[in-house]
Amino acid sequence: MRVDEGADTAGARSRRLTIAGGLMVGGFLLNVILTATLHPSGEEDDHPAIFTEYADSGTWIAVHLGQFIGVLVTLSGLLVLYRVLRGADGSSLLAQIAAAAAVATSAIWAVLQGLDGVGLKQAVDSWVSASGAEKTIRFANAETVRWLEWGFQSYFRILLGLTLALFGTAILTSRRVAGWLGWTALVAGVCSVIFGVDVGYSGLASGLQDVLGIAILVLVLLFAVGVLVTGVREHNRHDR
């Protein structure tokens, strides 16, 4: 009986790791592809120029909805990973805190995307179509929405960083997954926290954010692929 239970547990673990990695990789790639190919780019803090680009975008709302789904899929992968890290008895407090942080990150992400993907689009469209004194008022309104976006972007990045760092630490302490994955998530989390703090002070564009943004993308992709490969390898080993 114990051998069968161990086999079932190993099979469930490999499936969860594979699902977790697949969700994280899929959500990550969806978000990156949409952002790189369809999201308008430019000097983020040059409001007249960037607002004009946003107003000209016919896919703005759809792109942000896709980004919203992509990040939620990625975060759902972390919640599946939590099932592995908590163990059979569900006693890992650190893993539970990490899962709670992932849920909080999802909530602030939803607010951010609603504000950016819908609220800001309506504000810049109104500014572009206005004239005279009303145009000045509409521009001020759009800037207010933009500054609110700064705030939510800052705290989203910080919460995301805490989530990744907590999962990384849970991996390192539980030793249920390879330690290098824990360090990868931990470093990515620290970078995201620093990124979020910088947004609060510098806005949505800075040299530090350019460097950290690339580092976070590489580290998160490495972490997601690592979890997926680990799950596939364990599944293959279990089937032999």
Side-chain angles (χ1 to χ4, degrees):
M1 177 63 72
R2 289 183 178 178
V3 174
D4 292 341
E5 287 177 354
D8 288 341
T9 299
R13 168 190 161 87
S14 65
R15 284 194 298 274
R16 286 169 181 162
L17 283 172
T18 303
I19 292 171
L23 288 170
M24 286 190 285
V25 170
F28 176 89
L29 291 178
L30 174 61
N31 185 52
V32 169
I33 291 171
L34 286 173
T35 302
T37 60
L38 296 176
H39 193 290
S41 60
E43 179 53 57
E44 297 291 339
D45 293 337
D46 182 354
H47 290 172
I50 201 66
F51 286 176
T52 300
E53 285 196 43
Y54 293 168
D56 289 340
S57 173
T59 59
W60 181 268
I61 294 176
V63 167
H64 283 75
L65 179 59
Q67 290 177 323
F68 171 67
I69 293 170
V71 171
L72 287 189
V73 170
T74 302
L75 292 172
S76 69
L78 289 176
L79 293 179
V80 176
L81 179 60
Y82 155 71
R83 297 292 300 276
V84 175
L85 299 178
R86 72 175 187 172
D89 57 358
S91 60
S92 175
L93 178 60
L94 188 56
Q96 291 173 4
I97 295 173
V103 173
T105 303
S106 299
I108 196 169
W109 175 247
V111 175
L112 172 60
Q113 288 303 95
L115 186 67
D116 184 17
V118 179
L120 182 58
K121 175 61 172 171
Q122 300 304 316
V124 298
D125 285 352
S126 296
W127 166 63
V128 168
S129 62
S131 59
E134 184 183 2
K135 196 172 187 70
T136 302
I137 297 173
R138 294 294 186 183
F139 182 77
N141 290 341
E143 280 200 312
T144 299
V145 177
R146 182 63 151 185
W147 292 328
L148 287 171
E149 181 196 348
W150 283 14
F152 282 104
Q153 180 73 250
S154 174
Y155 276 76
F156 163 71
R157 292 283 185 171
I158 291 171
L159 262 178
L160 177 62
L162 290 174
T163 299
L164 290 170
L166 285 167
F167 269 99
T169 306
I171 289 172
L172 292 171
T173 56
S174 70
R175 299 182 179 179
R176 293 190 174 96
V177 186
W180 71 269
L181 289 172
W183 285 113
T184 302
L186 181 58
V187 174
V190 172
C191 290
S192 185
V193 170
I194 297 172
F195 191 115
V197 172
D198 188 66
V199 170
Y201 284 96
S202 305
L204 299 179
S206 74
L208 178 60
Q209 289 174 35
D210 292 340
V211 174
L212 290 176
I214 294 173
I216 293 168
L217 286 175
V218 172
L219 289 168
V220 170
L221 180 59
L222 181 62
F223 173 68
V225 172
V227 172
L228 176 60
V229 171
T230 300
V232 172
R233 284 180 176 176
E234 290 194 7
H235 176 73
N236 292 338
R237 190 183 307 122
H238 171 64
D239 286 346
R240 289 176 183 174

